[in-house]
Amino acid sequence: MHRPSLPPRPDLVAAAVADLTAVLGHDPAGTDFPEKGFDVVRRSGLTALTVPTALGGHGADLRAVADAVRRVAAVDAAVALVLAMHHLHTVDLFATETPVLRALAAELVTRGGFVGGLVSEARSNAPHRGTPLAGRASRTPDGWVLDGRKTYVTGSLALTAARVTLTVDGVDGDRRTFLVPFDAPGVEVVPSWDTLGLRGSVGHDLVLTDVRVGADRDLGPEGAGGRKVVWWPILLAAISAGVAAHALDLVEGGAGVPSLTGEPELRHVVDGGEAVLAFQTCRAVVDSAVARAGAGTLGRGEAAAAKVLAHRSATGVVDHVGRLIGTASVWRDHVWQRLYRDLRTGLHHAPPDDVVLRERAAHLLEAT
């Protein structure tokens, strides 16, 4: 069935941000699933940023994608996280052209959609730290049958499809990745997401029960290379920068606290100044990482460190803004609470601090 293309937009990011602001302003605490926000992003064309121009997309580079993620995060960090994950999992996906991938690209260009990447099966001890996988794929005469349960399915209620990593016949040393459509028989999203922050990213579990897919859905052995390894931490850093920008916007808008509109108190000066300095640091870290990645001079370890540094400085912004606002910020229904909780939850996203510190220390010691 022919589907009309999305209408051209002179600045699709600005338009999407304006629309997001209009539809998501009703939930300052960020406790609801932002369905209307995901609808806005689909319609805007943002999910086609990493689709190559040859397939009708924008073929955007890291700078453009990071800018979009940051600006969306300044409205809603949960929507930005799902968008970031989508681009992380599609930036290398379309390096190969197959009928299935061309159809997916057409879907992203015409109707919009989100693609996820599913590996984890436990609540802690991620597979990249050696945890074995139990989900399995078994060959059939005309394709594969997939079974298993995945956790942390970021954007589960908004996804069109996902790259799902499974073992071949239960052999953990033999892992393959499959492109699984979420409307396939046997695919079920099971509610499980009850977290401190980023609640709108709805990372429910996904259960695969006797899901049958053709051989064309087999994306090949699990791989760790590609642009994703550098894009991943930088886009997470961009989310932190967006949250920090949102915090500063609270101050500029008065944050609903009358004392901010009159003669500033000493704490307003101190915490306001510290917040601005921390934000400048955060933006400098992200901008430098993006520029160096574009020039091909940013290594994987430095990219991971940029994520940690941006998160730390963004946390400084939000902490100081909370102190500047005062007691009103500690109420659960104050928007500041959402920013604080989202950042604290983001602290646990890979790569975590210990991985980055170990790699950076090893880099230093090897150089001596």
PDB file of all heavy atoms in Angstrom, residues 311-343:
ATOM      1  N   HIS A 311      27.431  14.198  32.119  1.00  0.00           N
ATOM      2  CA  HIS A 311      26.442  13.863  33.142  1.00  0.00           C
ATOM      3  C   HIS A 311      26.787  14.533  34.472  1.00  0.00           C
ATOM      4  O   HIS A 311      25.914  15.061  35.152  1.00  0.00           O
ATOM      5  CB  HIS A 311      26.353  12.350  33.320  1.00  0.00           C
ATOM      6  CG  HIS A 311      25.291  11.925  34.285  1.00  0.00           C
ATOM      7  ND1 HIS A 311      25.516  11.866  35.652  1.00  0.00           N
ATOM      8  CD2 HIS A 311      23.996  11.564  34.100  1.00  0.00           C
ATOM      9  CE1 HIS A 311      24.411  11.483  36.254  1.00  0.00           C
ATOM     10  NE2 HIS A 311      23.473  11.297  35.340  1.00  0.00           N
ATOM     11  N   ARG A 312      28.063  14.515  34.844  1.00  0.00           N
ATOM     12  CA  ARG A 312      28.470  15.136  36.105  1.00  0.00           C
ATOM     13  C   ARG A 312      28.189  16.637  36.101  1.00  0.00           C
ATOM     14  O   ARG A 312      27.669  17.190  37.076  1.00  0.00           O
ATOM     15  CB  ARG A 312      29.957  14.880  36.359  1.00  0.00           C
ATOM     16  CG  ARG A 312      30.272  13.442  36.731  1.00  0.00           C
ATOM     17  CD  ARG A 312      31.767  13.271  36.947  1.00  0.00           C
ATOM     18  NE  ARG A 312      32.089  11.897  37.341  1.00  0.00           N
ATOM     19  CZ  ARG A 312      33.327  11.462  37.564  1.00  0.00           C
ATOM     20  NH1 ARG A 312      34.350  12.306  37.440  1.00  0.00           N
ATOM     21  NH2 ARG A 312      33.541  10.207  37.904  1.00  0.00           N
ATOM     22  N   SER A 313      28.522  17.313  35.014  1.00  0.00           N
ATOM     23  CA  SER A 313      28.314  18.759  34.974  1.00  0.00           C
ATOM     24  C   SER A 313      26.824  19.094  34.879  1.00  0.00           C
ATOM     25  O   SER A 313      26.359  20.074  35.482  1.00  0.00           O
ATOM     26  CB  SER A 313      29.090  19.393  33.813  1.00  0.00           C
ATOM     27  OG  SER A 313      28.783  18.773  32.580  1.00  0.00           O
ATOM     28  N   ALA A 314      26.044  18.275  34.157  1.00  0.00           N
ATOM     29  CA  ALA A 314      24.602  18.498  34.092  1.00  0.00           C
ATOM     30  C   ALA A 314      23.963  18.308  35.464  1.00  0.00           C
ATOM     31  O   ALA A 314      23.045  19.048  35.849  1.00  0.00           O
ATOM     32  CB  ALA A 314      23.962  17.549  33.079  1.00  0.00           C
ATOM     33  N   THR A 315      24.460  17.326  36.213  1.00  0.00           N
ATOM     34  CA  THR A 315      23.968  17.119  37.576  1.00  0.00           C
ATOM     35  C   THR A 315      24.254  18.339  38.431  1.00  0.00           C
ATOM     36  O   THR A 315      23.428  18.747  39.263  1.00  0.00           O
ATOM     37  CB  THR A 315      24.611  15.868  38.194  1.00  0.00           C
ATOM     38  OG1 THR A 315      24.271  14.726  37.398  1.00  0.00           O
ATOM     39  CG2 THR A 315      24.126  15.637  39.614  1.00  0.00           C
ATOM     40  N   GLY A 316      25.417  18.950  38.235  1.00  0.00           N
ATOM     41  CA  GLY A 316      25.743  20.179  38.947  1.00  0.00           C
ATOM     42  C   GLY A 316      24.762  21.293  38.615  1.00  0.00           C
ATOM     43  O   GLY A 316      24.325  22.045  39.503  1.00  0.00           O
ATOM     44  N   VAL A 317      24.405  21.394  37.329  1.00  0.00           N
ATOM     45  CA  VAL A 317      23.424  22.411  36.926  1.00  0.00           C
ATOM     46  C   VAL A 317      22.114  22.205  37.667  1.00  0.00           C
ATOM     47  O   VAL A 317      21.555  23.129  38.283  1.00  0.00           O
ATOM     48  CB  VAL A 317      23.182  22.355  35.404  1.00  0.00           C
ATOM     49  CG1 VAL A 317      22.058  23.334  35.025  1.00  0.00           C
ATOM     50  CG2 VAL A 317      24.446  22.685  34.633  1.00  0.00           C
ATOM     51  N   VAL A 318      21.600  20.983  37.613  1.00  0.00           N
ATOM     52  CA  VAL A 318      20.296  20.693  38.206  1.00  0.00           C
ATOM     53  C   VAL A 318      20.329  20.863  39.725  1.00  0.00           C
ATOM     54  O   VAL A 318      19.392  21.407  40.325  1.00  0.00           O
ATOM     55  CB  VAL A 318      19.829  19.282  37.804  1.00  0.00           C
ATOM     56  CG1 VAL A 318      18.567  18.878  38.561  1.00  0.00           C
ATOM     57  CG2 VAL A 318      19.584  19.225  36.299  1.00  0.00           C
ATOM     58  N   ASP A 319      21.395  20.405  40.369  1.00  0.00           N
ATOM     59  CA  ASP A 319      21.506  20.564  41.824  1.00  0.00           C
ATOM     60  C   ASP A 319      21.464  22.033  42.231  1.00  0.00           C
ATOM     61  O   ASP A 319      20.746  22.424  43.170  1.00  0.00           O
ATOM     62  CB  ASP A 319      22.805  19.922  42.325  1.00  0.00           C
ATOM     63  CG  ASP A 319      22.716  18.407  42.417  1.00  0.00           C
ATOM     64  OD1 ASP A 319      21.597  17.881  42.297  1.00  0.00           O
ATOM     65  OD2 ASP A 319      23.760  17.767  42.607  1.00  0.00           O
ATOM     66  N   HIS A 320      22.226  22.860  41.545  1.00  0.00           N
ATOM     67  CA  HIS A 320      22.270  24.282  41.902  1.00  0.00           C
ATOM     68  C   HIS A 320      20.948  24.981  41.588  1.00  0.00           C
ATOM     69  O   HIS A 320      20.526  25.873  42.342  1.00  0.00           O
ATOM     70  CB  HIS A 320      23.434  24.969  41.192  1.00  0.00           C
ATOM     71  CG  HIS A 320      24.767  24.690  41.827  1.00  0.00           C
ATOM     72  ND1 HIS A 320      25.114  25.181  43.066  1.00  0.00           N
ATOM     73  CD2 HIS A 320      25.824  23.940  41.402  1.00  0.00           C
ATOM     74  CE1 HIS A 320      26.342  24.760  43.378  1.00  0.00           C
ATOM     75  NE2 HIS A 320      26.788  24.006  42.396  1.00  0.00           N
ATOM     76  N   VAL A 321      20.308  24.576  40.503  1.00  0.00           N
ATOM     77  CA  VAL A 321      19.007  25.170  40.195  1.00  0.00           C
ATOM     78  C   VAL A 321      17.996  24.812  41.279  1.00  0.00           C
ATOM     79  O   VAL A 321      17.179  25.641  41.693  1.00  0.00           O
ATOM     80  CB  VAL A 321      18.522  24.718  38.806  1.00  0.00           C
ATOM     81  CG1 VAL A 321      17.035  25.042  38.621  1.00  0.00           C
ATOM     82  CG2 VAL A 321      19.338  25.390  37.719  1.00  0.00           C
ATOM     83  N   GLY A 322      18.048  23.574  41.773  1.00  0.00           N
ATOM     84  CA  GLY A 322      17.145  23.175  42.847  1.00  0.00           C
ATOM     85  C   GLY A 322      17.352  24.009  44.096  1.00  0.00           C
ATOM     86  O   GLY A 322      16.384  24.437  44.743  1.00  0.00           O
ATOM     87  N   ARG A 323      18.603  24.263  44.449  1.00  0.00           N
ATOM     88  CA  ARG A 323      18.888  25.082  45.618  1.00  0.00           C
ATOM     89  C   ARG A 323      18.444  26.522  45.397  1.00  0.00           C
ATOM     90  O   ARG A 323      17.977  27.192  46.314  1.00  0.00           O
ATOM     91  CB  ARG A 323      20.384  25.047  45.928  1.00  0.00           C
ATOM     92  CG  ARG A 323      20.892  23.660  46.313  1.00  0.00           C
ATOM     93  CD  ARG A 323      22.388  23.669  46.473  1.00  0.00           C
ATOM     94  NE  ARG A 323      22.937  22.316  46.485  1.00  0.00           N
ATOM     95  CZ  ARG A 323      24.231  22.040  46.506  1.00  0.00           C
ATOM     96  NH1 ARG A 323      25.116  23.028  46.529  1.00  0.00           N
ATOM     97  NH2 ARG A 323      24.653  20.786  46.502  1.00  0.00           N
ATOM     98  N   LEU A 324      18.614  26.992  44.169  1.00  0.00           N
ATOM     99  CA  LEU A 324      18.207  28.349  43.843  1.00  0.00           C
ATOM    100  C   LEU A 324      16.685  28.496  43.976  1.00  0.00           C
ATOM    101  O   LEU A 324      16.192  29.480  44.524  1.00  0.00           O
ATOM    102  CB  LEU A 324      18.665  28.668  42.416  1.00  0.00           C
ATOM    103  CG  LEU A 324      18.528  30.099  41.906  1.00  0.00           C
ATOM    104  CD1 LEU A 324      19.545  30.346  40.799  1.00  0.00           C
ATOM    105  CD2 LEU A 324      17.134  30.370  41.387  1.00  0.00           C
ATOM    106  N   ILE A 325      15.954  27.505  43.486  1.00  0.00           N
ATOM    107  CA  ILE A 325      14.493  27.544  43.587  1.00  0.00           C
ATOM    108  C   ILE A 325      14.061  27.497  45.040  1.00  0.00           C
ATOM    109  O   ILE A 325      13.132  28.180  45.460  1.00  0.00           O
ATOM    110  CB  ILE A 325      13.873  26.382  42.793  1.00  0.00           C
ATOM    111  CG1 ILE A 325      14.112  26.585  41.298  1.00  0.00           C
ATOM    112  CG2 ILE A 325      12.377  26.248  43.080  1.00  0.00           C
ATOM    113  CD1 ILE A 325      13.732  25.394  40.456  1.00  0.00           C
ATOM    114  N   GLY A 326      14.746  26.646  45.818  1.00  0.00           N
ATOM    115  CA  GLY A 326      14.424  26.557  47.233  1.00  0.00           C
ATOM    116  C   GLY A 326      13.486  25.413  47.562  1.00  0.00           C
ATOM    117  O   GLY A 326      13.389  24.428  46.819  1.00  0.00           O
ATOM    118  N   THR A 327      12.754  25.559  48.652  1.00  0.00           N
ATOM    119  CA  THR A 327      11.936  24.468  49.178  1.00  0.00           C
ATOM    120  C   THR A 327      10.900  23.966  48.182  1.00  0.00           C
ATOM    121  O   THR A 327      10.550  22.782  48.178  1.00  0.00           O
ATOM    122  CB  THR A 327      11.232  24.914  50.470  1.00  0.00           C
ATOM    123  OG1 THR A 327      12.202  25.478  51.352  1.00  0.00           O
ATOM    124  CG2 THR A 327      10.569  23.731  51.165  1.00  0.00           C
ATOM    125  N   ALA A 328      10.399  24.824  47.318  1.00  0.00           N
ATOM    126  CA  ALA A 328       9.375  24.405  46.356  1.00  0.00           C
ATOM    127  C   ALA A 328       9.858  23.257  45.475  1.00  0.00           C
ATOM    128  O   ALA A 328       9.059  22.428  45.026  1.00  0.00           O
ATOM    129  CB  ALA A 328       8.969  25.588  45.480  1.00  0.00           C
ATOM    130  N   SER A 329      11.173  23.183  45.250  1.00  0.00           N
ATOM    131  CA  SER A 329      11.697  22.163  44.340  1.00  0.00           C
ATOM    132  C   SER A 329      11.576  20.744  44.889  1.00  0.00           C
ATOM    133  O   SER A 329      11.618  19.784  44.121  1.00  0.00           O
ATOM    134  CB  SER A 329      13.171  22.454  44.024  1.00  0.00           C
ATOM    135  OG  SER A 329      13.973  22.303  45.186  1.00  0.00           O
ATOM    136  N   VAL A 330      11.426  20.586  46.208  1.00  0.00           N
ATOM    137  CA  VAL A 330      11.406  19.236  46.769  1.00  0.00           C
ATOM    138  C   VAL A 330      10.012  18.600  46.709  1.00  0.00           C
ATOM    139  O   VAL A 330       9.852  17.428  47.038  1.00  0.00           O
ATOM    140  CB  VAL A 330      11.910  19.213  48.231  1.00  0.00           C
ATOM    141  CG1 VAL A 330      13.294  19.820  48.312  1.00  0.00           C
ATOM    142  CG2 VAL A 330      10.937  19.925  49.169  1.00  0.00           C
ATOM    143  N   TRP A 331       9.015  19.356  46.278  1.00  0.00           N
ATOM    144  CA  TRP A 331       7.679  18.783  46.143  1.00  0.00           C
ATOM    145  C   TRP A 331       7.638  17.864  44.920  1.00  0.00           C
ATOM    146  O   TRP A 331       8.174  18.181  43.862  1.00  0.00           O
ATOM    147  CB  TRP A 331       6.639  19.894  46.015  1.00  0.00           C
ATOM    148  CG  TRP A 331       6.415  20.588  47.321  1.00  0.00           C
ATOM    149  CD1 TRP A 331       7.178  21.595  47.843  1.00  0.00           C
ATOM    150  CD2 TRP A 331       5.407  20.293  48.277  1.00  0.00           C
ATOM    151  NE1 TRP A 331       6.704  21.952  49.082  1.00  0.00           N
ATOM    152  CE2 TRP A 331       5.608  21.172  49.372  1.00  0.00           C
ATOM    153  CE3 TRP A 331       4.351  19.384  48.323  1.00  0.00           C
ATOM    154  CZ2 TRP A 331       4.796  21.163  50.491  1.00  0.00           C
ATOM    155  CZ3 TRP A 331       3.539  19.372  49.436  1.00  0.00           C
ATOM    156  CH2 TRP A 331       3.755  20.254  50.503  1.00  0.00           C
ATOM    157  N   ARG A 332       6.959  16.743  45.074  1.00  0.00           N
ATOM    158  CA  ARG A 332       6.935  15.726  44.021  1.00  0.00           C
ATOM    159  C   ARG A 332       6.346  16.236  42.707  1.00  0.00           C
ATOM    160  O   ARG A 332       6.695  15.740  41.633  1.00  0.00           O
ATOM    161  CB  ARG A 332       6.147  14.501  44.482  1.00  0.00           C
ATOM    162  CG  ARG A 332       6.860  13.659  45.518  1.00  0.00           C
ATOM    163  CD  ARG A 332       6.002  12.466  45.904  1.00  0.00           C
ATOM    164  NE  ARG A 332       6.652  11.630  46.895  1.00  0.00           N
ATOM    165  CZ  ARG A 332       7.447  10.606  46.597  1.00  0.00           C
ATOM    166  NH1 ARG A 332       7.688  10.313  45.342  1.00  0.00           N
ATOM    167  NH2 ARG A 332       8.008   9.885  47.549  1.00  0.00           N
ATOM    168  N   ASP A 333       5.442  17.197  42.791  1.00  0.00           N
ATOM    169  CA  ASP A 333       4.806  17.660  41.566  1.00  0.00           C
ATOM    170  C   ASP A 333       5.538  18.829  40.910  1.00  0.00           C
ATOM    171  O   ASP A 333       5.082  19.374  39.909  1.00  0.00           O
ATOM    172  CB  ASP A 333       3.348  18.045  41.835  1.00  0.00           C
ATOM    173  CG  ASP A 333       3.206  19.199  42.842  1.00  0.00           C
ATOM    174  OD1 ASP A 333       4.236  19.591  43.437  1.00  0.00           O
ATOM    175  OD2 ASP A 333       2.078  19.682  43.029  1.00  0.00           O
ATOM    176  N   HIS A 334       6.693  19.211  41.455  1.00  0.00           N
ATOM    177  CA  HIS A 334       7.482  20.278  40.833  1.00  0.00           C
ATOM    178  C   HIS A 334       8.322  19.686  39.709  1.00  0.00           C
ATOM    179  O   HIS A 334       8.909  18.612  39.849  1.00  0.00           O
ATOM    180  CB  HIS A 334       8.379  20.957  41.871  1.00  0.00           C
ATOM    181  CG  HIS A 334       8.936  22.265  41.396  1.00  0.00           C
ATOM    182  ND1 HIS A 334       9.950  22.356  40.459  1.00  0.00           N
ATOM    183  CD2 HIS A 334       8.605  23.550  41.720  1.00  0.00           C
ATOM    184  CE1 HIS A 334      10.227  23.627  40.242  1.00  0.00           C
ATOM    185  NE2 HIS A 334       9.430  24.369  40.990  1.00  0.00           N
ATOM    186  N   VAL A 335       8.392  20.381  38.596  1.00  0.00           N
ATOM    187  CA  VAL A 335       9.095  19.862  37.427  1.00  0.00           C
ATOM    188  C   VAL A 335      10.573  19.608  37.727  1.00  0.00           C
ATOM    189  O   VAL A 335      11.198  18.731  37.120  1.00  0.00           O
ATOM    190  CB  VAL A 335       8.929  20.828  36.224  1.00  0.00           C
ATOM    191  CG1 VAL A 335       9.605  22.159  36.494  1.00  0.00           C
ATOM    192  CG2 VAL A 335       9.454  20.184  34.948  1.00  0.00           C
ATOM    193  N   TRP A 336      11.161  20.353  38.675  1.00  0.00           N
ATOM    194  CA  TRP A 336      12.571  20.130  39.000  1.00  0.00           C
ATOM    195  C   TRP A 336      12.808  18.696  39.441  1.00  0.00           C
ATOM    196  O   TRP A 336      13.861  18.121  39.148  1.00  0.00           O
ATOM    197  CB  TRP A 336      13.025  21.095  40.110  1.00  0.00           C
ATOM    198  CG  TRP A 336      14.462  20.904  40.498  1.00  0.00           C
ATOM    199  CD1 TRP A 336      15.558  21.479  39.901  1.00  0.00           C
ATOM    200  CD2 TRP A 336      14.973  20.059  41.529  1.00  0.00           C
ATOM    201  NE1 TRP A 336      16.712  21.051  40.512  1.00  0.00           N
ATOM    202  CE2 TRP A 336      16.383  20.173  41.521  1.00  0.00           C
ATOM    203  CE3 TRP A 336      14.377  19.226  42.470  1.00  0.00           C
ATOM    204  CZ2 TRP A 336      17.198  19.478  42.405  1.00  0.00           C
ATOM    205  CZ3 TRP A 336      15.194  18.530  43.361  1.00  0.00           C
ATOM    206  CH2 TRP A 336      16.573  18.655  43.323  1.00  0.00           C
ATOM    207  N   GLN A 337      11.843  18.114  40.141  1.00  0.00           N
ATOM    208  CA  GLN A 337      11.993  16.740  40.608  1.00  0.00           C
ATOM    209  C   GLN A 337      12.221  15.773  39.453  1.00  0.00           C
ATOM    210  O   GLN A 337      12.994  14.827  39.547  1.00  0.00           O
ATOM    211  CB  GLN A 337      10.743  16.308  41.386  1.00  0.00           C
ATOM    212  CG  GLN A 337      10.676  16.850  42.791  1.00  0.00           C
ATOM    213  CD  GLN A 337      11.659  16.143  43.700  1.00  0.00           C
ATOM    214  OE1 GLN A 337      11.859  14.941  43.604  1.00  0.00           O
ATOM    215  NE2 GLN A 337      12.284  16.894  44.582  1.00  0.00           N
ATOM    216  N   ARG A 338      11.540  16.024  38.369  1.00  0.00           N
ATOM    217  CA  ARG A 338      11.697  15.151  37.208  1.00  0.00           C
ATOM    218  C   ARG A 338      13.123  15.219  36.661  1.00  0.00           C
ATOM    219  O   ARG A 338      13.721  14.201  36.337  1.00  0.00           O
ATOM    220  CB  ARG A 338      10.693  15.552  36.133  1.00  0.00           C
ATOM    221  CG  ARG A 338      10.831  14.717  34.877  1.00  0.00           C
ATOM    222  CD  ARG A 338       9.887  15.176  33.799  1.00  0.00           C
ATOM    223  NE  ARG A 338       9.905  14.236  32.692  1.00  0.00           N
ATOM    224  CZ  ARG A 338       9.173  14.384  31.618  1.00  0.00           C
ATOM    225  NH1 ARG A 338       8.362  15.403  31.508  1.00  0.00           N
ATOM    226  NH2 ARG A 338       9.246  13.503  30.644  1.00  0.00           N
ATOM    227  N   LEU A 339      13.646  16.431  36.539  1.00  0.00           N
ATOM    228  CA  LEU A 339      15.003  16.593  36.015  1.00  0.00           C
ATOM    229  C   LEU A 339      16.008  15.885  36.915  1.00  0.00           C
ATOM    230  O   LEU A 339      16.928  15.212  36.439  1.00  0.00           O
ATOM    231  CB  LEU A 339      15.344  18.078  35.897  1.00  0.00           C
ATOM    232  CG  LEU A 339      14.363  18.949  35.111  1.00  0.00           C
ATOM    233  CD1 LEU A 339      14.891  20.370  35.005  1.00  0.00           C
ATOM    234  CD2 LEU A 339      14.095  18.366  33.744  1.00  0.00           C
ATOM    235  N   TYR A 340      15.835  16.041  38.223  1.00  0.00           N
ATOM    236  CA  TYR A 340      16.736  15.412  39.185  1.00  0.00           C
ATOM    237  C   TYR A 340      16.672  13.890  39.067  1.00  0.00           C
ATOM    238  O   TYR A 340      17.697  13.208  39.001  1.00  0.00           O
ATOM    239  CB  TYR A 340      16.357  15.856  40.602  1.00  0.00           C
ATOM    240  CG  TYR A 340      17.222  15.255  41.689  1.00  0.00           C
ATOM    241  CD1 TYR A 340      18.476  15.790  41.979  1.00  0.00           C
ATOM    242  CD2 TYR A 340      16.787  14.147  42.407  1.00  0.00           C
ATOM    243  CE1 TYR A 340      19.269  15.240  42.973  1.00  0.00           C
ATOM    244  CE2 TYR A 340      17.573  13.591  43.405  1.00  0.00           C
ATOM    245  CZ  TYR A 340      18.813  14.138  43.684  1.00  0.00           C
ATOM    246  OH  TYR A 340      19.594  13.582  44.658  1.00  0.00           O
ATOM    247  N   ARG A 341      15.459  13.347  39.035  1.00  0.00           N
ATOM    248  CA  ARG A 341      15.300  11.890  38.973  1.00  0.00           C
ATOM    249  C   ARG A 341      15.792  11.320  37.651  1.00  0.00           C
ATOM    250  O   ARG A 341      16.396  10.244  37.608  1.00  0.00           O
ATOM    251  CB  ARG A 341      13.837  11.510  39.212  1.00  0.00           C
ATOM    252  CG  ARG A 341      13.389  11.702  40.650  1.00  0.00           C
ATOM    253  CD  ARG A 341      11.965  11.232  40.889  1.00  0.00           C
ATOM    254  NE  ARG A 341      10.974  12.152  40.358  1.00  0.00           N
ATOM    255  CZ  ARG A 341      10.281  11.969  39.246  1.00  0.00           C
ATOM    256  NH1 ARG A 341      10.465  10.866  38.532  1.00  0.00           N
ATOM    257  NH2 ARG A 341       9.387  12.859  38.846  1.00  0.00           N
ATOM    258  N   ASP A 342      15.533  12.040  36.562  1.00  0.00           N
ATOM    259  CA  ASP A 342      15.991  11.551  35.257  1.00  0.00           C
ATOM    260  C   ASP A 342      17.516  11.466  35.206  1.00  0.00           C
ATOM    261  O   ASP A 342      18.083  10.495  34.693  1.00  0.00           O
ATOM    262  CB  ASP A 342      15.481  12.461  34.143  1.00  0.00           C
ATOM    263  CG  ASP A 342      14.000  12.249  33.845  1.00  0.00           C
ATOM    264  OD1 ASP A 342      13.419  11.289  34.388  1.00  0.00           O
ATOM    265  OD2 ASP A 342      13.436  13.041  33.069  1.00  0.00           O
ATOM    266  N   LEU A 343      18.183  12.483  35.742  1.00  0.00           N
ATOM    267  CA  LEU A 343      19.650  12.458  35.736  1.00  0.00           C
ATOM    268  C   LEU A 343      20.195  11.373  36.657  1.00  0.00           C
ATOM    269  O   LEU A 343      21.165  10.688  36.318  1.00  0.00           O
ATOM    270  CB  LEU A 343      20.205  13.812  36.153  1.00  0.00           C
ATOM    271  CG  LEU A 343      20.365  14.851  35.048  1.00  0.00           C
ATOM    272  CD1 LEU A 343      20.950  16.135  35.610  1.00  0.00           C
ATOM    273  CD2 LEU A 343      21.232  14.333  33.909  1.00  0.00           C
TER     274      LEU A 343
END
